[in-house]
Amino acid sequence: MEKKGIYKVLFVCLGNICRSPSAEAVMKKLVREAGLDERIKVDSAGIIGYHEGERADPRMRAHAARRGYRLDSISRPVRTEDFYDFDLIIGMDDRNIDDLKRKAPDLASVEKIHRMTEYSRNKLYDHIPDPYYSGAEGFELVLDLLEDACGGLLECLLILK
Ligand code: 4NP
């Protein structure tokens, strides 16, 4: 994070209706609590545009709301400009990472791609499992893993300050 600059983070999952909107909401809350709203900007997008224009999945919204997160993002697919616009592009699983690498317009963009669980502090998962076809426990697990990893991500960004 450049001194006095703005650092931009994009979270990406498959549909942009479950995991990445949750990551966006969790990270925004942490950033706000740290008083860094003006320095760290957060957004989310999906690999596929199938849910474009939709709010987050109602099941994900309900689970997130119980923890105090309001998911108000509208689904959109990743765009080529995102690779120039954002400093860090964070995928949730292997498939997201492979798809992002395929979409990246140049080598500098590939270097911006990271995996959410790289930032985990306490949870031993190597990806954020897709909850779309799961029960309630899948949505709770997503939130547990994202709260842990977003905390780690914020710590990393503070070191770069
Ligand atoms: P997400 O979950 O990638 O966490 O938003 C999914 C949402 C939609 C689909 C799959 C996963 N889908 O197949 O439509």
Side-chain angles (χ1 to χ4, degrees), residues 16 37 40 57 62 69 76-77 88 94 109 113-114 122 127-128 132 136 143 156:
N16 191 212
D37 304 58
I40 301 174
D57 186 291
Y69 304 108
R76 69 160 181 95
L88 196 54
D94 275 346
S109 304
I113 300 167
H114 288 263
N122 301 305
H127 69 291
I128 311 292
Y132 196 65
L143 291 165
C156 282

Side-chain angles (χ1 to χ4, degrees), residues 13-21 48 50-51 130-133:
C13 61
L14 183 61
N16 191 212
I17 55 168
C18 295
R19 293 165 292 175
S20 60
I48 56 172
Y50 186 71
H51 296 280
D130 183 347
Y132 196 65
Y133 295 105

